[in-house]
Amino acid sequence: MARTPSLGAHVSSAGGIDKAVDRAVDLGAESFQIFGAAPQMWKRKHHPDEDTESYRQKFTQARLKSSFIHAVYLINLASPDDELLRKSTDTLTAELDLAARIGADGVIFHVGSHMGSGFDHALPRIAAGMREALDRTPDDALLLLENNAGAGRSVGSTFSELSAIMNAVDNPRVRICLDTCHAHAAGYNVATIAGLKATVDEFQRELGADKLAAIHANDSKTPLGSGRDRHENIGQGTIGVKAFRRMVRNRLFRKAAWLLEVPGYEGNGPGKADVEVLKSLRDDADVPDVPAPSG
Ligand SMILES: [Zn+2]
Ligand SMILES: [Zn+2]
């Protein structure tokens, strides 16, 4: 029987979207995440049917647990600008369409920034954009709101804001992707036993245990509550390896697919060793040695 949670990482889809599955297998990943298009550009990448079909075949053959698309970073459903909201909604729709084509479990996206207009003004606009993207796409793929680090005017750094969005959208396809680095930067102290318990309790109260579908498993370079989003390798940051051991065994966090978005112990993004550390935290009683930070 497969262990829970499934553990994996973000992988490149360069050279054809199906190549991402090969890379996930090479890492020993059980779940993985990709970009469906260049994350800093509005331009969509064309994926031929041949590649999307190959993705499905490889995914099934490798007996992987789940895959997700991380939407482009430019999407901003919280924007007071109508043109940006339209572009964001269309792009989110395209990401969900691609997820349905390759059989991915869902699309993870950042809600965006209200740019000074305030959360209350942004909320109905976010909900309308999400509802439209969901209505225009097949039922197969989930739409995951990612919590953010809490900088400036960004939306969705607290569970209560994410809950307000979920309630406003009111669609069964909406889930949460919890980034551990962002949560810690936003003031959720997942590094300590008491802090993790408080975080889990608040998540269950505000959102519900069944709503957590993915974890972005990232340590943090910045202190608790910094509001700054700087990912660090597991065990080399302010959250620490013992905290990740508690999280990977936590009954709430175990329900989700774990995806690393770290610089990597070798500095080339998440690698085999990074996935191995998560697996040893899940599977063994002892906390493993983590490579020392390179400085
Ligand atoms: Zn993200
Ligand atoms: Zn981040």
Side-chain angles (χ1 to χ4, degrees), residues 241-254:
V241 74
K242 286 184 177 156
F244 276 96
R245 180 169 176 267
R246 286 192 286 270
M247 284 191 270
V248 84
R249 292 156 177 243
N250 179 274
R251 69 188 187 290
L252 172 65
F253 288 27
R254 274 176 56 190

Side-chain angles (χ1 to χ4, degrees), residues 33 70-71 73 108-110 146-147 177 179 182 216 231 261:
Q33 167 184 285
H70 195 301
Y73 295 136
I108 298 167
F109 81 109
H110 303 173
E146 179 174 351
N147 66 312
C177 171
D179 187 309
H182 301 179
H216 279 165
H231 299 186
E261 296 175 322

Side-chain angles (χ1 to χ4, degrees), residues 14-165:
I17 201 163
D18 60 318
K19 302 289 187 298
V21 187
D22 304 333
R23 293 187 182 106
V25 170
D26 287 347
L27 290 186
E30 299 152 350
S31 292
F32 64 96
Q33 167 184 285
I34 57 170
F35 291 126
Q40 316 278 11
M41 287 174 15
W42 286 113
K43 187 175 153 47
R44 303 299 303 168
K45 189 177 157 74
H46 172 68
H47 297 287
D49 289 342
E50 203 181 308
D51 291 3
T52 57
E53 200 39 54
S54 167
Y55 183 106
R56 284 175 170 274
Q57 278 173 15
K58 286 177 178 178
F59 183 90
T60 306
Q61 275 163 12
R63 298 171 173 272
L64 291 160
K65 181 79 189 303
S66 54
S67 68
F68 295 86
I69 293 175
H70 195 301
V72 303
Y73 295 136
L74 301 174
I75 289 176
N76 186 0
L77 294 184
S79 169
D81 181 310
D82 288 339
E83 198 182 321
L84 182 53
L85 179 57
R86 166 63 22 224
K87 228 169 176 176
S88 298
T89 303
D90 289 343
T91 301
L92 196 58
T93 304
E95 301 279 20
L96 280 167
D97 265 328
L98 179 60
R101 284 180 70 206
I102 61 176
D105 292 66
V107 171
I108 298 167
F109 81 109
H110 303 173
V111 184
S113 162
H114 61 65
M115 297 157 96
S117 64
F119 179 71
D120 292 344
H121 183 265
L123 180 59
R125 298 167 66 82
I126 299 165
M130 288 175 65
R131 235 183 273 125
E132 182 185 324
L134 289 161
D135 286 347
R136 282 166 63 190
T137 52
D139 277 346
D140 323 34
L142 302 173
L143 183 55
L144 286 73
L145 294 157
E146 179 174 351
N147 66 312
N148 72 54
R153 296 158 168 183
S154 58
V155 170
S157 62
T158 63
F159 299 162
S160 66
E161 275 190 4
L162 294 171
S163 170
I165 296 167

Side-chain angles (χ1 to χ4, degrees), residues 8 10 20 36 51 56 62 70 77 96 98 117 132 138 180-181 206 220 229 233 239 243 268 271 290 293:
H10 185 97
D51 291 3
R56 284 175 170 274
H70 195 301
L77 294 184
L96 280 167
L98 179 60
S117 64
E132 182 185 324
T180 53
C181 166
E206 292 281 354
S220 178
D229 176 16
N233 297 322
I239 298 175
N268 308 314
V290 167

